[in-house]
Amino acid sequence: MTERDHAKGGSRSHSRSHSRSRPASVASARAYEVLGLVRSCATKEEAKKAYTKLIKKVHPDKGGNAAQFQHVQKAYDTIVSELTLERDLTAGGSCQQDERKRRGRQQWVPAGVRDGAMNAMAKPTYLAMQAKTQGNKWFAEKKYEDAARCYTEALAWLPEESSLYCNRSAAWYALDEMEKALDDAIKATEISPRYVKAHYRCALACSAMKGHTSAIARMRRAVELSDRSSREEYKKALLKIESTCSREYLHLNLVGHSETVQEVGWRPLESSSHRPILATCSLDGTIRLWCGDSGIRLHTLRGHTDKVTSIKWTRDGKYLISLALDRTVRVWEVCGDDSVASLH
């Protein structure tokens, strides 16, 4: 063989070696495109940075979806595997021997687990989101026990994920396991104190367990933390809980009317008052205002000459309108310091 043939052979060998170091597969090329990397000069560090930045955008809890999350995850795994293969092919015999000795001293683990360790942060998130997605599916189908089991599995991977506790609380609530529902909802608020849905779940569980004061306080907190798009929904839930709680609260604590109570109404949250006010009207012809926190009677409104049958707050909470069998309608102005004036 001539020197020229040797040169050609060497060139072909070098070409084959180069092509092996960067396999030109379609899946590999697309993986680099997904992470926005240049395939010819990408490193593991660059891949990790690009992956970390992108995974935050496509995470299901950040507005993405499970399909996008899995697509980015798969692209990152493909790039890491390729870069690892290239390193092994170019490291040389001595490096490979050292690597084999090092691995020999370590406890053996399956290849799939060993590869997953390269992405120790994303792997648990991926598996947890898979379990959460399945749990959401079971919940939508009203298979609440299966949903709770999936959320528990997800929590094994991400024990500090507040949304998983909140979702499992909803499943326990549907199963009438109120203590478990409350415990999970409280845990979610401890992890994420401004998590609106978690406070909402706490309120529902407290209300079901007759914890009226806690239920109202939790739901008011949910209203305070909610944004404009969802505030009305939480306000309606608050009014519903207040209406449910107030019936029992009146029988137990608010004593004063001499005849049957006809109607109750909570002052709207938009009012300037620093404390909640509950208004009641009775067949004894009076209207009473109570402090919603302490149950103390604030005012007894007299003016009607017959039985009062209905009351209604205005939207801003400044006026209370009453209707009686004396064929009159009265408008009461409730000021910011809780003083009252009759406007007739």
Side-chain angles (χ1 to χ4, degrees):
M1 183 181 291
T2 64
E3 183 178 349
R4 184 175 181 180
D5 293 334
H6 280 293
K8 289 182 177 180
S11 177
R12 286 194 297 271
S13 176
H14 176 73
S15 177
R16 285 195 300 270
S17 175
H18 181 73
S19 63
R20 286 180 66 192
S21 66
R22 293 283 177 156
S25 66
V26 176
S28 175
R30 288 178 178 174
Y32 284 92
E33 291 178 2
V34 169
L35 295 187
L37 298 174
V38 179
R39 187 166 176 272
S40 60
C41 59
T43 63
K44 280 188 177 182
E45 290 74 15
E46 293 175 345
K48 185 175 182 180
K49 289 181 181 179
Y51 167 77
T52 302
K53 182 178 180 180
L54 185 58
I55 203 68
K56 293 180 180 179
K57 296 180 180 180
V58 301
H59 196 284
D61 289 346
K62 301 295 184 181
N65 55 56
Q68 291 176 323
F69 184 86
Q70 294 177 12
H71 189 52
V72 174
Q73 171 72 36
K74 186 175 181 181
Y76 178 69
D77 289 343
T78 299
I79 294 174
V80 170
S81 298
E82 179 178 310
L83 294 176
T84 302
L85 176 61
E86 178 186 354
R87 181 198 63 187
D88 293 341
L89 291 174
T90 58
S94 60
C95 292
Q96 292 177 4
Q97 290 177 2
D98 292 341
E99 181 67 16
R100 283 195 294 269
K101 290 180 181 179
R102 185 183 66 81
R103 289 186 178 181
R105 292 192 298 267
Q106 294 178 342
Q107 182 181 1
W108 182 86
V109 293
V113 176
R114 187 171 61 250
D115 294 340
M118 293 186 296
N119 194 12
M121 292 182 63
K123 200 73 172 181
T125 302
Y126 172 71
L127 295 174
M129 289 304 106
Q130 278 192 323
K132 179 182 178 181
T133 301
Q134 184 61 43
N136 292 343
K137 179 181 177 182
W138 290 132
F139 190 91
E141 296 177 4
K142 298 184 179 181
K143 297 180 179 179
Y144 302 119
E145 290 185 359
D146 292 330
R149 176 178 52 78
C150 288
Y151 296 139
T152 301
E153 179 184 343
L155 282 167
W157 291 103
L158 291 179
E160 295 298 320
E161 178 58 46
S162 58
S163 64
L164 295 175
Y165 285 102
C166 191
N167 285 11
R168 192 170 68 172
S169 174
W172 292 135
Y173 183 87
L175 291 169
D176 203 27
E177 296 279 356
M178 296 305 166
E179 290 187 2
K180 292 182 179 180
L182 181 58
D183 289 343
D184 276 352
I186 291 175
K187 180 65 175 179
T189 60
E190 290 174 351
I191 296 173
S192 303
R194 300 185 65 82
Y195 191 3
V196 179
K197 185 69 73 172
H199 288 285
Y200 170 77
R201 294 292 176 198
C202 283
L204 292 182
C206 288
S207 178
M209 296 171 67
K210 310 301 181 183
H212 304 319
T213 303
S214 297
I216 293 175
R218 287 287 188 175
M219 191 60 78
R220 283 179 180 155
R221 182 60 175 161
V223 173
E224 292 174 2
L225 295 175
S226 61
D227 54 25
R228 292 183 179 179
S229 62
S230 60
R231 185 161 297 168
E232 288 301 320
E233 176 185 353
Y234 288 113
K235 283 183 178 180
K236 290 179 181 178
L238 173 61
L239 292 175
K240 184 176 180 180
I241 286 183
E242 286 178 336
S243 178
T244 301
C245 294
S246 62
R247 293 189 186 98
E248 296 185 26
Y249 194 74
L250 283 170
H251 287 298
L252 292 173
N253 299 286
L254 307 186
V255 179
H257 287 293
S258 59
E259 296 288 343
T260 303
V261 174
Q262 288 294 100
E263 194 170 13
V264 300
W266 287 98
R267 189 180 191 182
L269 293 174
E270 290 85 351
S271 64
S272 59
S273 177
H274 296 290
R275 56 182 172 181
I277 295 179
L278 179 68
T280 62
C281 66
S282 170
L283 297 182
D284 62 8
T286 66
I287 303 163
R288 294 175 185 263
L289 301 183
W290 312 82
C291 175
D293 291 331
S294 64
I296 298 174
R297 185 174 71 245
L298 302 175
H299 298 284
T300 299
L301 310 183
R302 306 179 187 275
H304 288 291
T305 58
D306 205 341
K307 301 173 181 179
V308 182
T309 58
S310 182
I311 51 175
K312 181 73 174 180
W313 289 98
T314 58
R315 186 180 297 273
D316 58 10
K318 293 181 178 180
Y319 303 98
L320 179 66
I321 303 170
S322 59
L323 175 67
L325 294 182
D326 60 4
R327 298 183 180 181
T328 64
V329 176
R330 287 182 174 269
V331 180
W332 311 84
E333 182 180 14
V334 183
C335 304
D337 58 355
D338 297 340
S339 60
V340 180
S342 176
L343 302 181
H344 299 287

